[in-house]
Amino acid sequence: MTKKLSSSPKSLRTKAIHGEAQSKSWEFSHHLIPPMTASTTFRLESLQRGAEGFSTFAADQKSEKPIWIYDRLEEPTTKMLEDQLALLERGECAVTFGSGMGAIASTLLSLLKANQKVVAHKTLYGCTYSLITNWMPRFNIQNSLIDINDFTKLEQELKDPTTRVVYFESVSNPILEIADLEKIAALVKKANLKRAKDNQIYTVVDNTFATPWALRPIEWGIDFVIQSLTKNISGFGTEMGGAVIAPKEHEGNLRVARKDFGAIIHPYSAWHILVYGISTQAIRFEQQQDSAMKIATYLEKHPKVERVIYPGLKSHHQFKQAKKYLQSPEGKFAPGTMISFQLKGPMKKCQKFVDDIAQNSYSITLAVSLGLTKTLIEVPGFMTHSAIPSDKRGESGIDPRAIRLSIGLENANDIIQDLETALSRV
């Protein structure tokens, strides 16, 4: 028997565990846990069926029964993950990729062509910055990096007929700025009223820091939402993946881009993210967030700390905006799991502190990535954001002394104790 659809709506917390009650991607009548595929190619029952599979791939009209051909096109486990992600972000469809950067690159290249421009926030993840400023100009795709919350400047950019995409992070990496999604979407919508249908401007938002548990940009009028599944959604540091949640009309182009670029996610990774990551994301996120608040409060009071940036602190310069946007599906304030802070004094003190953590801390690990069960520390200006030229880091707002802390599931007091020990030696 297939599980019956409930007559009453369920919370996203429950949907994250059960997903769709019915799935065309696989026969569910005997499976409590979604099964995993391990085949790169699929048996076809007839030549006609095979031809139909190729002719309908990435088309609006598909066969009632899915036709699986080759896993670089589509395959069942990945499709179940995509259905679940679209559900959580409250979007029309989702397309998964082998990494977050695969999702970002494929989305931008599916929307942009030569002699068009992407307007992006000045503070971006280092690899995204490199993609936009280094690789895309080689295809004559231009860029303008601005403060996305400077609405006068944004309106000027939207008047430029070459502007095609507005790209930013909902919560910026690493300095935790909050984008005013509602205002940005409204300005883009206004600009689009004067544009032809085939020259509309699209908003693309990287929502990795917030995750769908803290923010769902589509609810605020955003067109495309990017997730690095490697981070909090997967959560255990074992799988890599990315996704874009998009309007249904763009699904075909995104799937063709993934096929042609080869930016596919392996079914093994898709299965682990679906079964272990998504089902536990809410409880992991809330525990990490609770610890983050305690740790941020501790750091803010420490005499050797110059500045702490955390959306849950009233000292955050956008605290009111954080309260507006960072809300769980259950209506609770969700300031997240990421902290940025700076020590008083020169860069050498920052280096000594982080090296001490790397060599002596038990509960904090010097490593890149974020949103994992283990607490991670890094210095973005010298690590994840090093692709940004040193003469441009000031413009991006990234202080070289900024330390990024991704809170895991350890006891908050243990993390604080390790911070205190390292700080005492600076």
Side-chain angles (χ1 to χ4, degrees), residues 109-260:
L109 289 172
S110 73
L111 295 175
L112 290 156
K113 58 185 179 182
N115 301 314
Q116 292 184 334
K117 182 171 71 173
V118 54
V119 176
H121 186 49
K122 60 184 177 61
T123 307
L124 295 170
Y125 170 53
C127 294
T128 309
Y129 179 92
S130 179
L131 172 69
I132 290 174
T133 63
N134 177 34
W135 292 102
M136 288 192 166
R138 302 183 190 199
F139 302 99
N140 203 23
I141 297 171
Q142 305 307 312
N143 63 80
S144 179
L145 302 183
I146 66 170
D147 179 350
I148 206 68
N149 285 325
D150 182 342
F151 304 126
T152 300
K153 181 62 176 175
L154 179 59
E155 282 189 289
Q156 291 174 354
E157 294 287 356
L158 295 177
K159 291 176 183 177
D160 184 342
T162 67
T163 296
R164 177 72 166 176
V165 169
V166 175
Y167 180 93
F168 56 98
E169 296 160 0
S170 56
V171 181
S172 72
N173 181 1
I175 57 177
L176 307 177
E177 298 165 299
I178 315 295
D180 194 338
L181 302 173
E182 186 175 35
K183 181 66 174 179
I184 294 166
L187 290 175
V188 171
K189 183 177 180 180
K190 179 182 176 183
N192 279 335
L193 293 175
K194 300 177 181 179
R195 287 181 170 237
K197 187 175 181 180
D198 62 353
N199 192 36
Q200 295 285 288
I201 301 170
Y202 296 106
T203 47
V204 182
V205 171
D206 183 338
N207 195 41
T208 298
F209 266 33
T211 82
W213 196 251
L215 174 61
R216 295 148 304 282
I218 290 171
E219 296 178 345
W220 297 98
I222 298 302
D223 299 310
F224 296 81
V225 175
I226 304 285
Q227 285 287 353
S228 173
L229 303 178
T230 313
K231 311 304 192 296
N232 196 284
I233 289 179
S234 175
F236 294 92
T238 58
E239 313 304 331
M240 187 168 286
V244 56
I245 295 82
K248 187 70 175 176
E249 64 187 281
H250 291 272
E251 181 180 9
N253 275 343
L254 290 165
R255 293 196 182 280
V256 170
R258 180 179 67 183
K259 171 182 71 73
D260 292 348

Side-chain angles (χ1 to χ4, degrees), residues 61-78:
Q61 298 297 324
K62 290 193 175 185
S63 170
E64 181 67 22
K65 180 182 177 183
I67 305 175
W68 310 115
I69 297 176
Y70 188 60
D71 72 351
R72 185 156 49 84
L73 279 70
E74 284 184 291
E75 66 85 41
T77 305
T78 300

Side-chain angles (χ1 to χ4, degrees), residues 127-415:
C127 294
T128 309
Y129 179 92
S130 179
L131 172 69
I132 290 174
T133 63
N134 177 34
W135 292 102
M136 288 192 166
R138 302 183 190 199
F139 302 99
N140 203 23
I141 297 171
Q142 305 307 312
N143 63 80
S144 179
L145 302 183
I146 66 170
D147 179 350
I148 206 68
N149 285 325
D150 182 342
F151 304 126
T152 300
K153 181 62 176 175
L154 179 59
E155 282 189 289
Q156 291 174 354
E157 294 287 356
L158 295 177
K159 291 176 183 177
D160 184 342
T162 67
T163 296
R164 177 72 166 176
V165 169
V166 175
Y167 180 93
F168 56 98
E169 296 160 0
S170 56
V171 181
S172 72
N173 181 1
I175 57 177
L176 307 177
E177 298 165 299
I178 315 295
D180 194 338
L181 302 173
E182 186 175 35
K183 181 66 174 179
I184 294 166
L187 290 175
V188 171
K189 183 177 180 180
K190 179 182 176 183
N192 279 335
L193 293 175
K194 300 177 181 179
R195 287 181 170 237
K197 187 175 181 180
D198 62 353
N199 192 36
Q200 295 285 288
I201 301 170
Y202 296 106
T203 47
V204 182
V205 171
D206 183 338
N207 195 41
T208 298
F209 266 33
T211 82
W213 196 251
L215 174 61
R216 295 148 304 282
I218 290 171
E219 296 178 345
W220 297 98
I222 298 302
D223 299 310
F224 296 81
V225 175
I226 304 285
Q227 285 287 353
S228 173
L229 303 178
T230 313
K231 311 304 192 296
N232 196 284
I233 289 179
S234 175
F236 294 92
T238 58
E239 313 304 331
M240 187 168 286
V244 56
I245 295 82
K248 187 70 175 176
E249 64 187 281
H250 291 272
E251 181 180 9
N253 275 343
L254 290 165
R255 293 196 182 280
V256 170
R258 180 179 67 183
K259 171 182 71 73
D260 292 348
F261 301 156
I264 60 168
I265 186 172
H266 194 280
Y268 179 91
S269 295
W271 186 83
H272 278 81
I273 295 169
L274 173 65
V275 173
Y276 298 120
I278 286 181
S279 63
T280 64
Q281 201 247 320
I283 57 173
R284 285 186 286 106
F285 190 91
E286 289 184 345
Q287 175 62 50
Q288 292 164 325
Q289 180 174 260
D290 182 62
S291 293
M293 189 68 203
K294 295 175 183 175
I295 294 161
T297 301
Y298 156 78
L299 287 170
E300 190 172 47
K301 294 177 180 178
H302 199 285
K304 293 184 179 180
V305 175
E306 180 178 302
R307 184 187 184 197
V308 179
I309 305 174
Y310 179 64
L313 295 175
K314 292 182 180 179
S315 59
H316 191 287
H317 71 288
Q318 295 174 300
F319 181 70
K320 185 177 180 180
Q321 194 150 291
K323 294 273 285 187
K324 173 181 177 179
Y325 288 114
L326 300 179
Q327 294 280 333
S328 78
E330 297 169 352
K332 299 176 182 177
F333 183 36
T337 66
M338 302 298 297
I339 301 170
S340 179
F341 67 100
Q342 299 165 20
L343 303 184
K344 294 176 181 177
M347 182 63 209
K348 65 180 182 180
K349 286 194 174 182
C350 168
Q351 183 177 348
K352 182 178 180 181
F353 168 76
V354 174
D355 285 348
D356 191 287
I357 289 286
Q359 295 161 20
N360 301 309
S361 173
Y362 178 79
S363 60
I364 307 171
T365 304
L366 174 59
V368 298
S369 200
L370 57 102
L372 307 188
T373 56
K374 295 185 177 182
T375 295
L376 306 179
I377 194 169
E378 68 125 338
V379 181
F382 291 85
M383 295 175 68
T384 54
H385 291 64
S386 59
I388 302 172
S390 56
D391 61 331
K392 296 288 185 181
R393 288 177 197 167
E395 296 176 17
S396 70
I398 300 173
D399 189 306
R401 297 174 301 148
I403 300 167
R404 196 184 76 181
L405 199 58
S406 171
I407 305 303
L409 291 177
E410 302 91 347
N411 184 292
N413 291 330
D414 291 336
I415 298 170

